[in-house]
Amino acid sequence: MQMIVLSVALPIVIYDVMTDAGFTPVVALVVSSVGPLLDIGITWARTRRLDEFAVVVLAFLVLGIIVSLIFDDPRLLLLKEAAITGVIGILALGSLVVAPRPLMFYFGRRFATGGDPARVEWWNGLWRFPGFRRTQVVITTVWGVVFLAEAVVRGILTYTLSVDTMVVVNNVAPLVIVALLVVWTALYAKRQQRIGEAHGVVVEPPVAPA
């Protein structure tokens, strides 16, 4: 809910209010960035850590603001949103070639273990199973391809649609796409788990600490 309010709804409201009040689109977009910044700041204050996505978003947020202020072009600020997902897509696909393990293996470990050492060890141990390795490769490939495709489409739309329309698209589309990917990932992982269990591969995670 925090992410939806601060990173999706608040930027749209701020942009609409400021442009209606006579501010330029660039100024309105820069100020609307306070929403995602608050989201990241609150998360850090609560957990004392930033996840990988937050770091990437923060870096491109700052870079986009600087570039747009220099060139006074609101579309450049909008374009940085597509660049974020594009970079993540490239990193995901690149990890299949140059990294020891696919990118989504590490993201999956973070969400599946909660950082608990025993569960991290359990997750790392799953890599010895061919079915698990294949599942991580497929998940990483799908996320990488979808993120790259989404970045290209949003890049084209940035210079096709109006700035007002793209403010809404940029704040809503990523949330919808990630939600769909998460649902697909969960269903696909469950299906692969059932296949593994059917072949006698049953590895239960350790009980999480209370």
Side-chain angles (χ1 to χ4, degrees):
M1 180 60 69
Q2 173 186 306
M3 182 183 67
I4 295 175
V5 172
L6 296 179
S7 293
V8 179
L10 187 58
I12 295 174
V13 172
I14 291 176
Y15 179 85
D16 287 342
V17 170
M18 291 194 68
T19 51
D20 288 345
F23 290 92
T24 65
V26 168
V27 172
L29 284 170
V30 170
V31 175
S32 69
S33 299
V34 71
L37 286 175
L38 280 173
D39 185 19
I40 293 172
I42 292 173
T43 300
W44 179 85
R46 187 173 62 247
T47 63
R48 285 295 186 268
R49 65 183 181 184
L50 297 178
D51 61 30
E52 295 84 352
F53 282 111
V55 173
V56 173
V57 169
L58 185 59
F60 276 91
L61 193 63
V62 173
L63 180 61
I65 290 174
I66 293 174
V67 171
S68 294
L69 288 176
I70 293 175
F71 293 99
D72 194 29
D73 185 354
R75 295 188 187 275
L76 285 177
L77 191 54
L78 291 169
L79 198 59
K80 69 108 171 47
E81 304 289 347
I84 292 175
T85 51
V87 167
I88 295 175
I90 292 173
L91 290 175
L93 296 177
S95 71
L96 297 172
V97 180
V98 301
R101 297 176 185 180
L103 182 64
M104 296 311 295
F105 168 87
Y106 300 102
F107 284 113
R109 182 176 64 186
R110 182 178 185 279
F111 290 106
T113 68
D116 175 61
R119 294 175 71 87
V120 169
E121 184 178 355
W122 159 76
W123 182 265
N124 290 339
L126 294 176
W127 189 251
R128 69 185 185 275
F129 298 111
F132 180 80
R133 295 197 298 269
R134 184 169 55 253
T135 297
Q136 297 304 310
V137 169
V138 171
I139 291 174
T140 300
T141 300
V142 170
W143 278 71
V145 169
V146 171
F147 269 41
L148 268 181
E150 188 256 5
V152 171
V153 171
R154 269 206 288 165
I156 294 172
L157 292 179
T158 297
Y159 287 93
T160 304
L161 303 177
S162 68
V163 172
D164 290 359
T165 302
M166 278 309 299
V167 169
V168 178
V169 172
N170 268 0
N171 284 285
V172 175
L175 187 64
V176 173
I177 290 173
V178 169
L180 292 174
L181 282 172
V182 168
V183 171
W184 171 81
T185 300
L187 294 174
Y188 177 73
K190 284 290 185 182
R191 176 176 177 272
Q192 295 305 109
Q193 181 181 359
R194 288 195 297 270
I195 293 175
E197 292 173 349
H199 288 81
V201 179
V202 181
V203 182
E204 292 296 331
V207 178

